[in-house]
Amino acid sequence: MKNIRNFCIIAHIDHGKSTLADRLLQYTKTIAEKDLKAQVLDDMDLERERGITIKSHAIQMRHVLDGQEYILNLIDTPGHVDFSYEVSRSIAACEGALLVVDATQGIQAQTISNVYMAIENDLEIIPVINKMDMPAANPEEVKDQIMELIGGKREDIIEASGKTGLGVDRIIETIIKRVPAPKGDVNAPLQALIFDSVFNPFRGIIAYFRVYNGSIKTSDHVKFVNTKKDYIADEVGVLEMDLKPQQEISAGNVGYIISGIKNAVEVKVGDTITNFDNPCKEAIAGFAEVKPMVYAGVYPIETDNYEELRVSLEKLQLNDASLTYSPESSIALGFGFRCGFLGMLHMDIVQERLSREFDMDVITTVPNVPYKVFTPKGEMLEVHNPAGLPEAKGVEHIEEPYIRAEIITKTEFYGAITKLCLEKRGVKINENYLTSDRIELTFEMPLAEIVFDFYDKLKSISKGYASFDYHPIDYRPSKLVKLDILLNGEPVDAMSSLIHESNAYDFGKSICEKLKELIPRHQFDVAIQAAIGTKIIARSTIKAFRKDVTAKCYGGDISRKRKLLDKQKKGKKRMKQVGDVEVPQKAFLAVLKIN
């Protein structure tokens, strides 16, 4: 065990950690030169296209130093704020972390959040300045920022380049010397933490674990503590470039288990694996609970595909533990699921993965949050969907969830961020200067206000230099109204939203204008209206296609033309009564992105 090192890489998005991971694999000869490609650990098409890490990856490397062979388990992490749950899981399975900072950009938003997470978990932090080969590199200033953030000695900061391989040898040596060996008792009952899982169509569910105490052997009879299910370990092994079967995985090491599990709900990330005959006394404390920021309905375009969508979401949740879902139904869209996402990018990625990996075409509704509705009789209803709201006379008052938001940013963005939070009905609670140019702001604000575009606006006004975290505090009474969108007088329940009275007119008007651009023209006029109860607050009209029926009249009496136009008018009226308005998927998506 003394020769094992478990570490992760934490950094802001686009600071080059996937490229640096490639160099570590190359330097330790874990990957053959012929198999080497850029971002080797990012094996999803989406990750390569967008240049972001979505999924955390685990891989084992071996390196000889001073005549001793060391096992290095790297757990790569995403950098985008929407995937911070993946980061928390990686950190929980490690003893050390490489803090990678871009030499041209310095310490940025997510770096700060992830460093605090690593410090809370008592990880040994090794600072690395990446992209030293860039002409715009400014290492001295970045070293000052790192010193302010984590302290330590200036000479301990490693200068490196993921592109050229500069400093990689020093990084490996520092990991071996500074990251503590894992603690644990090989002779104690088995205690292993599941930190990730993937679905394999041929072998079932493959669970990745970190052994804290005891050891796990092939053919062992094991039990998953939280789900109370037991299995035979058909195969255990370590995670190299491919799965590498082993006879035994001991305390301190990271590995995988295949036990023929076909049902996705039987494997929970954060669960503890133990021996069936000699179980451990208590489960390992799992990870922080997932905190979805956005709730939205996901429905299959073809209603017959409901079961397929359920199975697809189960399999996707295995691969993405931050996704939560529960069944719901809609008048306009039929049966589907109410899903919880970590943010708009996460929602976009889940939709894209459903389409690519499971061939599922889905419609996503307007995102919202859960509300408590109190009736005149004193009853309390929890409403997750605006369609479930009782009529106005059946509502005494509505309470909405409030959060405590903590934003860490540079002092130069203080004014713009404060203005944004106040616009979102926020109340400033505290401000705290962490350093001369970095400030922590605390606001209490409604959760509903951060669901739509708060993240995007915060990132743009702070140039990406603002880390945002929140904690639910309580429910508070609020003047909320239900905003309905009507197409030719028919409400589209999938576009209904509960919104604060002060924002209703602007939001309704912008939805009507956006839908006018996106809904295709029909053979009849389409009226788009935003309504609160029976009161119409905004409207726009999509004009009909019109055939020139009088084109064949050359001269003659005007009554000939009028007769044809009256006939066309009657046809349009009849068509409007029986015709359906087709709402394309992009119209639903556009409503989500309205500022």
Side-chain angles (χ1 to χ4, degrees):
M1 202 193 302
K2 70 180 192 305
N3 287 6
I4 296 174
R5 301 289 181 270
N6 299 318
F7 70 101
C8 61
I9 303 179
I10 54 177
H12 190 78
I13 187 168
D14 202 30
H15 278 207
K17 69 187 162 339
S18 293
T19 312
L20 192 63
D22 291 352
R23 296 292 81 76
L24 294 175
L25 295 175
Q26 197 179 0
Y27 182 76
T28 55
K29 298 185 172 56
T30 305
I31 182 168
E33 291 293 331
K34 63 182 175 63
D35 296 327
L36 194 66
K37 56 183 178 181
Q39 293 167 263
V40 72
L41 291 180
D42 293 348
D43 51 11
M44 215 185 288
D45 291 344
L46 262 176
E47 292 181 313
R48 298 183 157 280
E49 281 169 29
R50 300 194 181 209
I52 57 174
T53 304
I54 293 167
K55 189 91 192 66
S56 65
H57 298 267
I59 190 158
Q60 187 171 100
M61 301 176 278
R62 289 172 183 270
H63 185 68
V64 177
L65 183 72
D66 301 333
Q68 292 263 7
E69 187 182 51
Y70 291 89
I71 294 171
L72 311 173
N73 290 311
L74 159 65
I75 300 171
D76 188 23
T77 63
H80 196 280
V81 65
D82 277 12
F83 303 107
S84 56
Y85 186 65
E86 292 278 329
V87 182
S88 74
R89 289 158 45 200
S90 300
I91 284 174
C94 296
E95 279 83 30
L98 287 184
L99 167 63
V100 176
V101 183
D102 187 328
T104 61
Q105 297 179 60
I107 287 182
Q108 284 193 308
Q110 210 45 37
T111 319
I112 300 169
S113 293
N114 291 346
V115 163
Y116 285 169
M117 213 187 290
I119 291 169
E120 279 170 26
N121 281 270
D122 291 332
L123 264 60
E124 177 68 33
I125 296 171
I126 299 168
V128 176
I129 300 180
N130 195 22
K131 302 192 184 180
M132 284 298 293
D133 58 308
M134 301 280 278
N138 191 350
E140 294 311 312
E141 191 180 314
V142 176
K143 281 180 184 178
D144 291 341
Q145 292 177 10
I146 291 172
M147 296 288 289
E148 278 181 22
L149 183 66
I150 60 168
K153 295 177 185 169
R154 200 177 181 87
E155 59 269 19
D156 287 346
I157 301 171
I158 302 168
E159 295 183 359
S161 165
K163 191 178 278 185
T164 64
L166 167 77
V168 171
D169 52 345
R170 192 178 161 201
I171 291 172
I172 295 280
E173 195 176 315
T174 310
I175 290 167
I176 292 170
K177 286 182 176 169
R178 282 186 49 195
V179 173
K183 295 181 175 70
D185 183 357
V186 182
N187 302 314
L190 172 65
Q191 201 181 29
L193 177 74
I194 298 175
F195 66 86
D196 205 356
S197 56
V198 292
F199 183 79
N200 183 305
F202 304 107
R203 312 198 65 182
I205 291 156
I206 303 170
Y208 297 165
F209 59 80
R210 150 82 198 271
V211 184
Y212 282 85
N213 289 306
S215 63
I216 182 168
K217 301 183 184 73
T218 305
S219 305
D220 270 2
H221 190 184
V222 295
K223 174 181 158 187
F224 288 18
V225 177
N226 290 340
T227 57
K228 297 182 171 56
K229 302 268 185 182
D230 60 291
Y231 312 95
I232 299 296
D234 298 333
E235 181 179 311
V236 296
V238 292
L239 301 147
E240 292 190 358
M241 282 312 294
D242 296 309
L243 302 179
K244 190 175 177 185
Q246 301 282 321
Q247 206 49 45
E248 181 179 15
I249 307 288
S250 300
N253 215 341
V254 173
Y256 69 89
I257 177 171
I258 299 173
S259 46
I261 306 168
K262 292 286 188 281
N263 192 350
V265 294
E266 291 179 27
V267 176
K268 284 191 166 46
V269 168
D271 204 347
T272 303
I273 306 174
T274 188
N275 272 103
F276 185 76
D277 300 319
N278 182 21
C280 57
K281 288 188 175 63
E282 56 184 35
I284 300 162
F287 308 105
E289 275 298 302
V290 191
K291 293 189 293 190
M293 293 212 172
V294 176
Y295 291 90
V298 174
Y299 293 83
I301 287 176
E302 296 294 328
T303 47
D304 300 347
N305 294 344
Y306 172 77
E307 265 309 305
E308 285 177 44
L309 178 59
R310 186 181 61 76
V311 173
S312 302
L313 282 169
E314 263 183 26
K315 289 177 183 173
L316 190 57
Q317 194 182 36
L318 265 179
N319 211 266
D320 180 357
S322 44
L323 171 68
T324 59
Y325 66 92
S326 58
E328 75 163 5
S329 62
S330 149
I331 300 161
L333 302 171
F335 291 101
F337 295 91
R338 175 134 298 255
C339 298
F341 307 98
L342 294 180
M344 285 299 193
L345 176 69
H346 187 211
M347 183 168 153
D348 189 21
I349 293 291
V350 165
Q351 235 179 307
E352 190 74 26
R353 288 184 70 185
L354 281 171
S355 166
R356 289 187 187 203
E357 295 173 28
F358 303 100
D359 213 15
M360 290 298 310
D361 289 324
V362 295
I363 287 176
T364 312
T365 65
V366 177
N368 56 20
V369 298
Y371 297 92
K372 287 182 178 175
V373 179
F374 291 85
T375 65
K377 293 178 183 175
E379 296 169 342
M380 192 275 285
L381 310 168
E382 190 159 294
V383 176
H384 290 264
N385 191 335
L389 192 73
E391 287 182 26
K393 63 183 182 206
V395 177
E396 188 181 290
H397 72 277
I398 302 174
E399 291 186 358
E400 63 177 330
Y402 265 68
I403 56 153
R404 176 163 296 207
E406 286 158 3
I407 299 165
I408 299 171
T409 186
K410 274 192 163 181
T411 46
E412 64 192 89
F413 307 118
Y414 170 83
I417 288 174
T418 303
K419 182 169 177 267
L420 172 68
C421 293
L422 295 176
E423 279 172 7
K424 296 288 185 184
R425 298 189 283 137
V427 177
K428 192 199 281 183
I429 302 299
N430 190 22
E431 60 181 62
N432 175 27
Y433 282 84
L434 302 172
T435 65
S436 56
D437 68 340
R438 192 173 293 118
I439 188 168
E440 182 180 31
L441 301 169
T442 308
F443 285 86
E444 285 183 2
M445 57 204 294
L447 180 59
E449 292 289 347
I450 67 165
V451 156
F452 279 96
D453 56 353
F454 181 78
Y455 249 36
D456 297 338
K457 284 187 172 177
L458 182 68
K459 283 175 205 161
S460 61
I461 63 176
S462 66
K463 299 176 184 167
Y465 204 117
S467 76
F468 174 75
D469 197 15
Y470 81 97
H471 309 280
I473 41 178
D474 53 15
Y475 279 76
R476 296 179 188 178
S478 200
K479 216 167 184 184
L480 298 166
V481 290
K482 183 186 175 192
L483 183 72
D484 287 313
I485 301 298
L486 314 176
L487 295 181
N488 279 348
E490 289 294 316
V492 182
D493 65 341
M495 285 189 180
S496 298
S497 54
L498 273 171
I499 194 161
H500 196 263
E501 200 173 50
S502 60
N503 300 337
Y505 172 71
D506 291 334
F507 187 65
K509 188 165 178 259
S510 53
I511 285 190
C512 290
E513 285 169 4
K514 197 76 180 170
L515 291 179
K516 184 180 178 181
E517 293 169 24
L518 293 167
I519 294 177
R521 289 173 72 187
H522 290 61
Q523 295 287 353
F524 49 88
D525 282 1
V526 177
I528 304 166
Q529 295 167 310
I532 297 171
T534 53
K535 183 183 174 187
I536 305 296
I537 60 166
R539 169 183 174 132
S540 58
T541 307
I542 301 169
K543 288 293 176 190
F545 283 123
R546 188 167 174 269
K547 184 181 173 187
D548 189 359
V549 289
T550 59
K552 59 187 176 185
C553 294
Y554 297 103
D557 190 56
I558 186 68
S559 59
R560 289 179 65 200
K561 289 186 176 181
R562 202 158 278 151
K563 188 177 168 186
L564 288 167
L565 290 168
D566 285 346
K567 190 177 176 185
Q568 184 186 37
K569 207 176 194 177
K570 282 179 187 168
K572 294 273 183 200
K573 191 176 176 185
R574 191 168 63 249
M575 200 183 281
K576 189 172 182 175
Q577 287 170 341
V578 297
D580 279 337
V581 180
E582 195 179 302
V583 185
Q585 164 72 348
K586 65 181 176 188
F588 283 100
L589 289 177
V591 173
L592 317 185
K593 296 190 172 100
I594 283 173
N595 294 328

